[in-house]
Amino acid sequence: MDRAEKRELVTGLNDAFKSAGSVVVAHYAGVTVAQMNDLRTKMRQAGGTVKVAKNRLAKIALQGTESEAIIDLFKGQTLIAYSDDPVAAPKVASDFAKGNDKLIILGGAMGATALDADGVKALATLPSLDELRAKLVGMIATPATRIAQVVNAPAASVARVIGAYARKDEAA
């Protein structure tokens, strides 16, 4: 890799760290190429990215970003997973780590907050942004449905009473 490629990689990673909702750092020693491709595919489907970069270049890219506090995690064979959705990258990485003991989550960052491995796993248990939106829409729609039922209920009751009086008059 020549200097221009390294500079381009550092610039790209720096932009990614600045715009990412969350960043996960993990050791990947022993993960096969097929497993790594599977992780990349799952991450891409969730809206995230997995990168393997030299630690020195990743540390340079972290400088000047909110995630600068995680520089100490870059030791050994590390990969970086990041996504715009703060929950997507931790969720995919944690799910993959459960099925593959070779991927060891070291920690990460969400904005300016540095997370340890337990923090990343806790973040992974939260619902994603899309799930939260769906719940919010459901919560908003439910009262509207109930209001329609309540408004229609008196009219239905009045109609039943009138119907009962009509049947009573017909019987008499």
Side-chain angles (χ1 to χ4, degrees):
M1 195 183 264
D2 66 353
R3 284 186 180 199
E5 289 174 326
K6 288 179 182 178
R7 194 173 300 118
E8 188 177 316
L9 177 70
V10 168
T11 304
L13 279 176
N14 186 278
D15 292 342
F17 287 140
K18 285 181 180 176
S19 67
S22 64
V23 178
V24 177
V25 181
H27 277 166
Y28 69 96
V31 176
T32 66
V33 173
Q35 291 169 333
M36 185 64 80
N37 287 337
D38 184 40
L39 174 61
R40 284 190 168 117
T41 303
K42 288 178 181 176
M43 191 66 73
R44 199 174 307 115
Q45 289 172 348
T49 307
V50 175
K51 292 242 188 231
V52 175
K54 290 186 174 187
N55 291 337
R56 188 175 52 81
L57 297 177
K59 288 178 181 180
I60 293 169
L62 275 169
Q63 292 175 356
T65 66
E66 290 181 331
S67 305
E68 195 169 358
I70 63 171
I71 283 181
D72 296 337
L73 298 177
F74 289 92
K75 293 182 174 97
Q77 288 184 325
T78 56
L79 65 81
I80 308 158
Y82 56 89
S83 63
D84 292 334
D85 181 0
V87 179
K91 188 171 285 208
V92 173
S94 293
D95 288 345
F96 190 81
K98 285 178 189 172
N100 188 336
D101 59 344
K102 302 288 185 192
L103 186 76
I104 302 166
I105 296 175
L106 301 175
M110 185 175 75
T113 307
L115 304 169
D116 60 353
D118 292 331
V120 172
K121 289 175 185 168
L123 190 59
T125 61
L126 295 175
S128 70
L129 200 53
D130 289 337
E131 291 171 13
L132 286 175
R133 286 180 182 145
K135 285 181 182 180
L136 186 61
V137 168
M139 289 170 54
I140 290 171
T142 300
T145 308
R146 287 188 180 153
I147 288 172
Q149 289 172 348
V150 168
V151 168
N152 288 334
S157 296
V158 169
R160 276 190 235 107
V161 169
I162 292 173
Y165 278 118
R167 283 190 297 274
K168 183 179 175 184
D169 286 342
E170 286 175 7

